[in-house]
Amino acid sequence: MGEVDQIVPLITNYKMGKFNLSHRVVLAPLTRQRSYGNVPQKHAILYYSQRTSKGGLLITEATGVSDTAQGYPDTPGIWTKEQVEAWKPIVDAVHAKGGIFFCQIWHVGRVSNYGFQPNGQAPISSTDKPLTPQLRANGIDMAEFSTPRRLRTDEIPEIVNDFRTAARNAIEAGFDGVEIHGAHGYLLDQFMKDKVNDRTDEYGGSLENRCRFSLQVVEAVAEEIGADRVGIRLSPFSEFSEAADSNPEALALYMAESLNKFGILYCHMVEPRLKLSTAIISETPFTLQPMRKTFKGTFIVAGGYTREEGNKAIADGRADLVAYGKWFIANPDLPRRFELDAPLNKYNRDTFYTSDSVVGYVDYPFLDSHSQTSN
Ligand SMILES: Cc1cc2nc3c(=O)[nH]c(=O)nc-3n(C[C@H](O)[C@H](O)[C@H](O)COP(=O)(O)O)c2cc1C
Protein backbone atom coordinates (compact mmCIF):
# COMPACT_ATOMS: atom_id res chain seq x y z
CA MET A 1 0.00 0.00 0.00
CA GLY A 2 1.45 3.35 -0.92
CA GLU A 3 1.26 6.86 0.44
CA VAL A 4 -2.08 8.57 0.41
CA ASP A 5 -1.28 11.47 -1.86
CA GLN A 6 -4.77 12.43 -2.94
CA ILE A 7 -7.58 13.73 -0.79
CA VAL A 8 -10.17 11.02 -0.27
CA PRO A 9 -13.42 12.91 0.42
CA LEU A 10 -14.75 10.06 2.58
CA ILE A 11 -11.67 10.34 4.76
CA THR A 12 -11.98 13.98 5.77
CA ASN A 13 -12.98 15.46 9.12
CA TYR A 14 -16.56 16.39 9.81
CA LYS A 15 -18.13 18.04 12.81
CA MET A 16 -21.51 16.49 13.54
CA GLY A 17 -22.94 18.70 16.28
CA LYS A 18 -20.64 18.22 19.23
CA PHE A 19 -19.03 15.09 17.75
CA ASN A 20 -15.74 15.41 15.92
CA LEU A 21 -15.65 12.77 13.24
CA SER A 22 -12.35 11.98 11.57
CA HIS A 23 -13.96 10.48 8.47
CA ARG A 24 -17.36 10.08 6.77
CA VAL A 25 -17.65 6.27 6.62
CA VAL A 26 -20.49 5.23 8.96
CA LEU A 27 -21.33 1.72 10.12
CA ALA A 28 -24.94 1.32 8.97
CA PRO A 29 -27.45 -0.29 11.34
CA LEU A 30 -27.24 -4.04 10.69
CA THR A 31 -29.46 -6.67 12.25
CA ARG A 32 -27.32 -9.77 12.85
CA GLN A 33 -29.67 -11.89 14.99
CA ARG A 34 -27.04 -12.99 17.47
CA SER A 35 -28.55 -11.41 20.58
CA TYR A 36 -29.92 -14.58 22.12
CA GLY A 37 -33.16 -14.05 24.01
CA ASN A 38 -33.11 -10.36 22.96
CA VAL A 39 -30.06 -9.71 25.15
CA PRO A 40 -26.84 -8.35 23.58
CA GLN A 41 -24.06 -10.94 23.95
CA LYS A 42 -20.36 -10.75 24.73
CA HIS A 43 -19.44 -11.58 21.12
CA ALA A 44 -20.91 -8.22 20.12
CA ILE A 45 -18.08 -6.53 22.04
CA LEU A 46 -15.57 -7.90 19.54
CA TYR A 47 -17.84 -7.37 16.53
CA TYR A 48 -18.43 -3.67 17.20
CA SER A 49 -14.94 -2.96 18.43
CA GLN A 50 -13.49 -4.51 15.25
CA ARG A 51 -15.54 -2.00 13.26
CA THR A 52 -14.52 0.98 15.38
CA SER A 53 -12.06 3.60 14.26
CA LYS A 54 -11.04 6.74 16.10
CA GLY A 55 -13.56 9.43 15.27
CA GLY A 56 -15.78 7.03 13.32
CA LEU A 57 -19.58 6.89 13.72
CA LEU A 58 -21.21 3.52 14.37
CA ILE A 59 -24.92 2.77 14.52
CA THR A 60 -26.11 -0.40 16.24
CA GLU A 61 -28.37 -3.02 14.78
CA ALA A 62 -32.08 -2.27 15.29
CA THR A 63 -32.86 -2.57 19.00
CA GLY A 64 -36.34 -3.10 20.42
CA VAL A 65 -38.01 -0.46 22.56
CA SER A 66 -40.42 -2.82 24.30
CA ASP A 67 -41.63 -6.41 24.55
CA THR A 68 -44.08 -5.80 21.70
CA ALA A 69 -41.36 -4.41 19.40
CA GLN A 70 -39.83 -7.69 18.19
CA GLY A 71 -40.38 -9.52 14.91
CA TYR A 72 -37.15 -11.42 14.26
CA PRO A 73 -35.35 -14.03 16.36
CA ASP A 74 -32.50 -12.92 18.60
CA THR A 75 -32.58 -9.20 17.94
CA PRO A 76 -31.49 -7.08 20.90
CA GLY A 77 -33.66 -4.89 23.08
CA ILE A 78 -33.09 -1.98 25.41
CA TRP A 79 -36.18 -2.02 27.60
CA THR A 80 -34.95 -4.19 30.50
CA LYS A 81 -32.23 -3.59 33.06
CA GLU A 82 -30.47 -6.77 31.89
CA GLN A 83 -30.35 -5.50 28.31
CA VAL A 84 -29.04 -2.08 29.39
CA GLU A 85 -26.30 -3.76 31.45
CA ALA A 86 -25.44 -6.05 28.55
CA TRP A 87 -24.96 -3.10 26.21
CA LYS A 88 -22.54 -1.34 28.56
CA PRO A 89 -19.36 -3.35 27.83
CA ILE A 90 -20.10 -3.14 24.10
CA VAL A 91 -20.41 0.63 24.26
CA ASP A 92 -17.29 0.84 26.45
CA ALA A 93 -15.27 -1.13 23.90
CA VAL A 94 -16.31 1.22 21.09
CA HIS A 95 -15.49 4.27 23.20
CA ALA A 96 -12.13 2.82 24.22
CA LYS A 97 -11.14 2.92 20.54
CA GLY A 98 -12.45 6.45 20.05
CA GLY A 99 -15.69 5.62 18.23
CA ILE A 100 -18.99 7.51 18.44
CA PHE A 101 -21.84 5.09 19.01
CA PHE A 102 -25.55 5.56 18.37
CA CYS A 103 -28.22 3.00 19.21
CA GLN A 104 -30.88 2.41 16.56
CA ILE A 105 -34.23 1.98 18.34
CA TRP A 106 -37.20 0.38 16.65
CA HIS A 107 -40.62 -1.13 16.89
CA VAL A 108 -41.49 -3.57 14.09
CA GLY A 109 -45.24 -3.07 14.38
CA ARG A 110 -47.03 -5.58 12.16
CA VAL A 111 -43.81 -7.14 10.80
CA SER A 112 -44.22 -9.75 13.52
CA ASN A 113 -46.37 -12.64 14.63
CA TYR A 114 -47.97 -14.08 17.76
CA GLY A 115 -44.79 -16.03 18.52
CA PHE A 116 -42.79 -12.84 19.10
CA GLN A 117 -45.45 -11.13 21.19
CA PRO A 118 -46.02 -11.22 24.94
CA ASN A 119 -48.76 -13.75 25.80
CA GLY A 120 -49.10 -14.58 22.12
CA GLN A 121 -51.10 -11.43 21.50
CA ALA A 122 -51.53 -9.78 18.09
CA PRO A 123 -48.77 -7.44 16.89
CA ILE A 124 -49.73 -3.77 16.97
CA SER A 125 -49.85 -1.41 14.02
CA SER A 126 -51.51 1.64 12.51
CA THR A 127 -53.83 -0.78 10.75
CA ASP A 128 -55.42 -4.19 11.07
CA LYS A 129 -54.41 -5.19 7.55
CA PRO A 130 -52.01 -8.13 7.64
CA LEU A 131 -48.83 -8.52 5.63
CA THR A 132 -48.62 -11.31 3.10
CA PRO A 133 -46.08 -14.02 3.99
CA GLN A 134 -42.60 -13.12 2.74
CA LEU A 135 -39.42 -14.91 1.98
CA ARG A 136 -36.97 -14.13 4.78
CA ALA A 137 -33.75 -12.35 3.91
CA ASN A 138 -31.92 -15.68 3.88
CA GLY A 139 -33.96 -16.52 0.79
CA ILE A 140 -35.11 -19.86 2.24
CA ASP A 141 -37.48 -19.44 5.16
CA MET A 142 -40.91 -17.95 4.90
CA ALA A 143 -41.82 -15.28 7.41
CA GLU A 144 -45.38 -15.61 8.63
CA PHE A 145 -47.14 -12.53 9.93
CA SER A 146 -50.15 -12.44 12.20
CA THR A 147 -53.03 -10.10 11.59
CA PRO A 148 -52.15 -6.97 13.56
CA ARG A 149 -54.31 -5.09 15.99
CA ARG A 150 -54.92 -1.47 15.13
CA LEU A 151 -53.73 0.73 18.00
CA ARG A 152 -56.46 2.77 19.65
CA THR A 153 -55.84 6.50 19.58
CA ASP A 154 -55.47 6.60 23.36
CA GLU A 155 -52.76 3.88 23.27
CA ILE A 156 -50.42 5.78 20.99
CA PRO A 157 -48.89 7.96 23.74
CA GLU A 158 -47.80 4.73 25.48
CA ILE A 159 -45.81 3.66 22.43
CA VAL A 160 -44.29 7.14 22.15
CA ASN A 161 -43.33 6.74 25.76
CA ASP A 162 -41.64 3.39 25.05
CA PHE A 163 -39.34 5.19 22.60
CA ARG A 164 -38.65 7.86 25.21
CA THR A 165 -37.73 5.26 27.82
CA ALA A 166 -35.59 3.31 25.36
CA ALA A 167 -33.69 6.50 24.52
CA ARG A 168 -33.08 7.19 28.19
CA ASN A 169 -31.90 3.60 28.62
CA ALA A 170 -29.53 4.00 25.68
CA ILE A 171 -27.93 7.00 27.32
CA GLU A 172 -27.71 5.07 30.56
CA ALA A 173 -25.93 2.27 28.70
CA GLY A 174 -23.38 4.90 27.58
CA PHE A 175 -24.46 5.47 23.97
CA ASP A 176 -23.73 8.90 22.51
CA GLY A 177 -27.20 9.11 21.05
CA VAL A 178 -30.02 7.23 19.36
CA GLU A 179 -31.24 6.77 15.83
CA ILE A 180 -35.01 6.39 15.61
CA HIS A 181 -35.82 3.73 13.03
CA GLY A 182 -38.45 5.34 10.84
CA ALA A 183 -37.63 3.29 7.74
CA HIS A 184 -38.28 -0.01 5.96
CA GLY A 185 -41.94 -0.58 6.75
CA TYR A 186 -41.69 -0.87 10.54
CA LEU A 187 -44.05 0.83 12.97
CA LEU A 188 -43.24 4.49 12.24
CA ASP A 189 -43.35 3.83 8.50
CA GLN A 190 -46.68 1.98 8.95
CA PHE A 191 -48.10 5.28 10.18
CA MET A 192 -46.40 7.52 7.61
CA LYS A 193 -47.22 5.63 4.40
CA ASP A 194 -50.71 5.98 2.96
CA LYS A 195 -50.81 2.47 1.48
CA VAL A 196 -50.66 1.06 5.01
CA ASN A 197 -52.24 3.68 7.23
CA ASP A 198 -56.03 3.48 6.88
CA ARG A 199 -56.91 5.33 10.08
CA THR A 200 -59.63 7.91 10.42
CA ASP A 201 -58.43 9.53 13.67
CA GLU A 202 -55.85 12.31 13.99
CA TYR A 203 -53.11 9.78 13.09
CA GLY A 204 -54.51 8.98 9.65
CA GLY A 205 -55.58 10.68 6.45
CA SER A 206 -53.60 13.84 5.71
CA LEU A 207 -49.82 13.88 5.50
CA GLU A 208 -49.75 15.91 8.68
CA ASN A 209 -51.84 13.29 10.48
CA ARG A 210 -49.85 10.32 9.17
CA CYS A 211 -46.56 11.88 10.26
CA ARG A 212 -47.89 12.87 13.68
CA PHE A 213 -46.84 9.67 15.44
CA SER A 214 -43.26 9.75 14.09
CA LEU A 215 -42.89 13.40 14.98
CA GLN A 216 -44.25 12.78 18.47
CA VAL A 217 -41.62 10.08 18.89
CA VAL A 218 -38.91 12.50 17.71
CA GLU A 219 -40.18 15.20 20.04
CA ALA A 220 -40.34 12.88 23.06
CA VAL A 221 -36.89 11.41 22.45
CA ALA A 222 -35.35 14.84 21.83
CA GLU A 223 -36.96 16.16 24.99
CA GLU A 224 -35.63 13.20 26.95
CA ILE A 225 -31.99 13.10 25.84
CA GLY A 226 -31.47 16.37 23.92
CA ALA A 227 -31.99 16.98 20.21
CA ASP A 228 -28.22 17.04 19.74
CA ARG A 229 -28.15 13.30 20.41
CA VAL A 230 -31.01 12.31 18.13
CA GLY A 231 -31.03 11.05 14.57
CA ILE A 232 -33.76 9.44 12.50
CA ARG A 233 -33.66 6.98 9.63
CA LEU A 234 -36.25 7.31 6.87
CA SER A 235 -36.94 5.50 3.60
CA PRO A 236 -39.86 7.34 2.01
CA PHE A 237 -39.22 5.76 -1.38
CA SER A 238 -38.92 2.19 -0.15
CA GLU A 239 -41.75 -0.32 -0.49
CA PHE A 240 -40.12 -2.85 1.80
CA SER A 241 -42.61 -4.82 3.92
CA GLU A 242 -45.46 -3.53 1.80
CA ALA A 243 -45.06 0.01 3.11
CA ALA A 244 -45.50 2.26 0.11
CA ASP A 245 -46.69 5.80 -0.30
CA SER A 246 -48.54 7.32 -3.23
CA ASN A 247 -46.45 10.50 -3.03
CA PRO A 248 -43.08 9.72 -1.43
CA GLU A 249 -41.55 13.04 -2.49
CA ALA A 250 -44.17 15.01 -0.59
CA LEU A 251 -43.73 12.73 2.42
CA ALA A 252 -39.95 13.15 2.32
CA LEU A 253 -40.17 16.92 2.13
CA TYR A 254 -42.81 17.20 4.83
CA MET A 255 -40.66 15.13 7.19
CA ALA A 256 -37.50 17.14 6.41
CA GLU A 257 -39.29 20.41 7.11
CA SER A 258 -40.95 19.11 10.26
CA LEU A 259 -37.72 17.63 11.64
CA ASN A 260 -36.09 21.06 11.39
CA LYS A 261 -38.45 22.30 14.08
CA PHE A 262 -36.88 19.92 16.58
CA GLY A 263 -33.29 20.71 15.61
CA ILE A 264 -32.25 17.06 15.71
CA LEU A 265 -28.69 16.08 14.92
CA TYR A 266 -29.08 14.04 11.77
CA CYS A 267 -31.36 12.58 9.17
CA HIS A 268 -30.30 9.26 7.69
CA MET A 269 -31.90 8.51 4.36
CA VAL A 270 -32.03 5.30 2.39
CA GLU A 271 -31.50 5.84 -1.33
CA PRO A 272 -34.58 5.41 -3.52
CA ARG A 273 -32.57 3.24 -5.89
CA LEU A 274 -32.19 0.42 -3.41
CA LYS A 275 -34.73 -2.38 -3.42
CA LEU A 276 -34.07 -3.75 0.03
CA SER A 277 -35.91 -7.01 -0.42
CA THR A 278 -33.65 -8.04 -3.24
CA ALA A 279 -30.71 -5.70 -2.59
CA ILE A 280 -30.98 -4.80 -6.25
CA ILE A 281 -29.91 -1.35 -7.31
CA SER A 282 -32.41 -0.07 -9.81
CA GLU A 283 -32.73 3.10 -11.82
CA THR A 284 -35.16 5.56 -10.34
CA PRO A 285 -36.30 9.06 -11.17
CA PHE A 286 -36.30 9.96 -7.47
CA THR A 287 -33.50 11.67 -5.59
CA LEU A 288 -32.84 12.65 -2.00
CA GLN A 289 -31.64 16.09 -3.00
CA PRO A 290 -34.80 18.06 -2.13
CA MET A 291 -34.54 16.58 1.37
CA ARG A 292 -30.83 17.27 1.53
CA LYS A 293 -31.49 20.91 0.68
CA THR A 294 -34.33 21.23 3.19
CA PHE A 295 -32.97 19.42 6.23
CA LYS A 296 -30.71 21.66 8.30
CA GLY A 297 -28.78 19.04 10.27
CA THR A 298 -26.29 16.39 9.22
CA PHE A 299 -27.43 14.37 6.21
CA ILE A 300 -26.43 10.71 6.04
CA VAL A 301 -27.12 8.60 2.97
CA ALA A 302 -27.07 4.82 2.58
CA GLY A 303 -27.89 2.17 0.07
CA GLY A 304 -25.61 0.47 -2.38
CA TYR A 305 -22.70 2.89 -2.08
CA THR A 306 -19.24 1.99 -3.34
CA ARG A 307 -16.07 3.83 -2.33
CA GLU A 308 -16.19 5.81 -5.54
CA GLU A 309 -19.85 6.79 -5.23
CA GLY A 310 -19.41 7.70 -1.58
CA ASN A 311 -16.47 9.94 -2.42
CA LYS A 312 -18.49 11.59 -5.14
CA ALA A 313 -21.51 12.15 -2.89
CA ILE A 314 -19.30 13.88 -0.33
CA ALA A 315 -17.33 15.87 -2.90
CA ASP A 316 -20.55 17.05 -4.58
CA GLY A 317 -22.13 18.01 -1.25
CA ARG A 318 -24.98 15.53 -1.68
CA ALA A 319 -24.33 14.10 1.77
CA ASP A 320 -22.27 14.78 4.86
CA LEU A 321 -21.74 11.12 5.74
CA VAL A 322 -22.22 7.80 3.95
CA ALA A 323 -23.35 4.67 5.79
CA TYR A 324 -22.13 1.31 4.57
CA GLY A 325 -23.85 -1.96 5.38
CA LYS A 326 -22.73 -5.06 3.52
CA TRP A 327 -19.18 -3.85 2.89
CA PHE A 328 -18.78 -3.05 6.57
CA ILE A 329 -19.98 -6.52 7.56
CA ALA A 330 -17.19 -8.03 5.46
CA ASN A 331 -14.52 -5.41 6.11
CA PRO A 332 -14.13 -4.49 9.77
CA ASP A 333 -11.46 -1.94 8.79
CA LEU A 334 -13.52 -0.43 5.96
CA PRO A 335 -12.52 3.23 6.57
CA ARG A 336 -8.87 2.21 6.51
CA ARG A 337 -9.35 0.27 3.28
CA PHE A 338 -11.14 3.22 1.69
CA GLU A 339 -8.33 5.51 2.76
CA LEU A 340 -5.75 3.26 1.11
CA ASP A 341 -8.00 2.19 -1.78
CA ALA A 342 -7.23 -1.34 -0.67
CA PRO A 343 -9.13 -4.36 -1.99
CA LEU A 344 -12.25 -5.39 -0.11
CA ASN A 345 -13.24 -8.76 1.33
CA LYS A 346 -16.38 -10.14 -0.31
CA TYR A 347 -19.44 -10.48 1.89
CA ASN A 348 -21.24 -13.74 2.39
CA ARG A 349 -25.01 -13.26 2.49
CA ASP A 350 -25.51 -16.77 3.85
CA THR A 351 -24.14 -15.72 7.25
CA PHE A 352 -25.76 -12.28 7.57
CA TYR A 353 -28.48 -13.60 9.86
CA THR A 354 -27.13 -16.90 11.16
CA SER A 355 -26.68 -17.20 14.89
CA ASP A 356 -23.03 -18.27 15.14
CA SER A 357 -21.01 -16.01 17.41
CA VAL A 358 -17.92 -16.22 15.19
CA VAL A 359 -18.63 -17.36 11.64
CA GLY A 360 -19.61 -14.54 9.30
CA TYR A 361 -19.54 -12.21 12.28
CA VAL A 362 -16.07 -11.60 13.71
CA ASP A 363 -13.97 -13.73 11.34
CA TYR A 364 -13.66 -11.39 8.36
CA PRO A 365 -9.95 -10.56 8.04
CA PHE A 366 -8.34 -7.17 8.47
CA LEU A 367 -5.73 -5.92 6.05
CA ASP A 368 -2.46 -7.55 7.00
CA SER A 369 -0.41 -5.81 9.63
CA HIS A 370 2.15 -4.62 7.09
CA SER A 371 -0.54 -2.75 5.17
CA GLN A 372 -1.96 -1.37 8.37
CA THR A 373 1.30 0.23 9.39
CA SER A 374 2.88 1.05 6.06
CA ASN A 375 1.27 4.41 5.64
C1 LIG B 1 -27.73 -7.99 7.19
C2 LIG B 1 -28.45 -6.68 7.11
C3 LIG B 1 -29.12 -6.21 8.22
C4 LIG B 1 -29.75 -4.96 8.20
N1 LIG B 1 -30.34 -4.49 9.34
C5 LIG B 1 -30.83 -3.22 9.37
C6 LIG B 1 -31.30 -2.67 10.59
O1 LIG B 1 -31.27 -3.29 11.66
N2 LIG B 1 -31.78 -1.40 10.54
C7 LIG B 1 -31.81 -0.66 9.40
O2 LIG B 1 -32.24 0.49 9.42
N3 LIG B 1 -31.34 -1.16 8.24
C8 LIG B 1 -30.84 -2.41 8.20
N4 LIG B 1 -30.29 -2.89 7.03
C9 LIG B 1 -30.11 -1.99 5.89
C10 LIG B 1 -28.69 -1.38 5.93
O3 LIG B 1 -28.53 -0.51 7.03
C11 LIG B 1 -28.35 -0.58 4.65
O4 LIG B 1 -29.19 0.52 4.53
C12 LIG B 1 -28.47 -1.47 3.43
O5 LIG B 1 -27.74 -2.67 3.60
C13 LIG B 1 -27.94 -0.76 2.19
O6 LIG B 1 -26.59 -0.39 2.35
P1 LIG B 1 -25.40 -1.26 1.71
O7 LIG B 1 -25.68 -1.35 0.24
O8 LIG B 1 -24.16 -0.44 2.01
O9 LIG B 1 -25.39 -2.58 2.38
C14 LIG B 1 -29.72 -4.17 7.03
C15 LIG B 1 -29.05 -4.66 5.89
C16 LIG B 1 -28.43 -5.89 5.92
C17 LIG B 1 -27.70 -6.37 4.69
Side-chain angles (χ1 to χ4, degrees):
M1 256 359 100
E3 295 290 312
V4 177
D5 46 15
Q6 266 187 327
I7 290 185
V8 181
L10 280 170
I11 312 297
T12 52
N13 295 338
Y14 175 73
K15 196 162 164 50
M16 179 178 78
K18 59 186 168 193
F19 303 105
N20 292 310
L21 306 186
S22 62
H23 61 78
R24 322 284 186 117
V25 184
V26 178
L27 174 68
L30 292 161
T31 292
R32 304 305 312 276
Q33 295 187 204
R34 286 150 164 97
S35 294
Y36 314 137
N38 306 131
V39 179
Q41 301 290 308
K42 291 216 163 54
H43 45 250
I45 299 175
L46 180 58
Y47 169 75
Y48 282 108
S49 97
Q50 284 182 336
R51 284 158 185 76
T52 305
S53 52
K54 193 166 163 25
L57 173 63
L58 294 84
I59 305 165
T60 68
E61 60 213 273
T63 299
V65 299
S66 70
D67 61 355
T68 64
Q70 312 302 314
Y72 300 84
D74 297 328
T75 49
I78 193 149
W79 72 89
T80 71
K81 183 90 188 127
E82 184 190 9
Q83 291 161 343
V84 173
E85 291 305 313
W87 275 114
K88 284 183 180 171
I90 305 168
V91 179
D92 287 348
V94 169
H95 284 160
K97 287 177 78 177
I100 292 119
F101 205 9
F102 273 55
C103 184
Q104 189 187 55
I105 52 175
W106 75 340
H107 192 301
V108 300
R110 68 174 181 164
V111 188
S112 186
N113 63 41
Y114 304 132
F116 291 109
Q117 295 300 315
N119 310 316
Q121 67 191 37
I124 56 171
S125 182
S126 62
T127 179
D128 52 14
K129 284 181 296 190
L131 280 167
T132 44
Q134 279 171 20
L135 206 56
R136 285 227 182 258
N138 65 13
I140 303 163
D141 302 328
M142 286 303 281
E144 299 288 341
F145 304 104
S146 307
T147 301
R149 182 177 71 78
R150 186 197 310 271
L151 281 165
R152 293 191 316 271
T153 312
D154 67 297
E155 291 176 296
I156 292 178
E158 294 167 29
I159 313 297
V160 172
N161 207 47
D162 288 340
F163 277 88
R164 177 196 289 271
T165 307
R168 190 193 314 135
N169 288 347
I171 298 303
E172 201 207 314
F175 284 106
D176 297 292
V178 303
E179 173 173 297
I180 298 162
H181 195 342
H184 301 156
Y186 299 111
L187 188 60
L188 273 65
D189 222 14
Q190 289 160 31
F191 274 83
M192 285 186 277
K193 303 261 176 83
D194 63 4
K195 298 209 172 157
V196 184
N197 184 329
D198 54 358
R199 305 178 70 88
T200 53
D201 63 359
E202 71 252 39
Y203 292 95
S206 67
L207 194 50
E208 189 186 351
N209 282 358
R210 282 184 279 118
C211 293
R212 189 182 308 281
F213 170 61
S214 296
L215 293 170
Q216 286 178 343
V217 169
V218 170
E219 184 175 25
V221 169
E223 204 178 83
E224 189 66 32
I225 65 171
D228 56 348
R229 292 180 182 279
V230 179
I232 188 167
R233 192 172 222 217
L234 297 171
S235 59
F237 300 95
S238 158
E239 301 192 351
F240 190 62
S241 281
E242 294 169 33
D245 196 83
S246 58
N247 190 349
E249 283 164 308
L251 171 61
L253 262 186
Y254 179 80
M255 282 302 290
E257 276 162 12
S258 307
L259 291 171
N260 282 338
K261 293 185 204 133
F262 302 107
I264 61 169
L265 184 64
Y266 74 73
C267 181
H268 182 177
M269 299 287 306
V270 181
E271 286 287 348
R273 63 184 174 198
L274 192 79
K275 280 230 182 303
L276 199 67
S277 45
T278 50
I280 288 171
I281 309 285
S282 52
E283 289 301 318
T284 162
F286 295 120
T287 124
L288 299 179
Q289 286 318 290
M291 282 202 78
R292 160 63 162 169
K293 292 203 181 81
T294 305
F295 183 68
K296 297 207 173 79
T298 293
F299 200 69
I300 309 180
V301 294
Y305 275 90
T306 59
R307 174 182 188 269
E308 192 188 345
E309 284 166 354
N311 275 330
K312 203 157 164 6
I314 301 297
D316 295 349
R318 282 183 281 118
D320 298 309
L321 305 172
V322 182
Y324 289 87
K326 296 179 287 288
W327 288 122
F328 228 137
I329 288 178
N331 296 273
D333 50 357
L334 189 65
R336 179 81 181 145
R337 289 179 193 243
F338 280 171
E339 181 176 6
L340 302 174
D341 202 7
L344 301 181
N345 301 323
K346 298 261 177 300
Y347 45 81
N348 178 5
R349 282 180 197 283
D350 296 344
T351 52
F352 280 177
Y353 302 103
T354 44
S355 62
D356 197 277
S357 62
V358 176
V359 179
Y361 191 55
V362 292
D363 60 351
Y364 284 106
F366 285 74
L367 283 171
D368 64 46
S369 55
H370 173 72
S371 302
Q372 281 192 66
T373 54
S374 66
N375 187 41

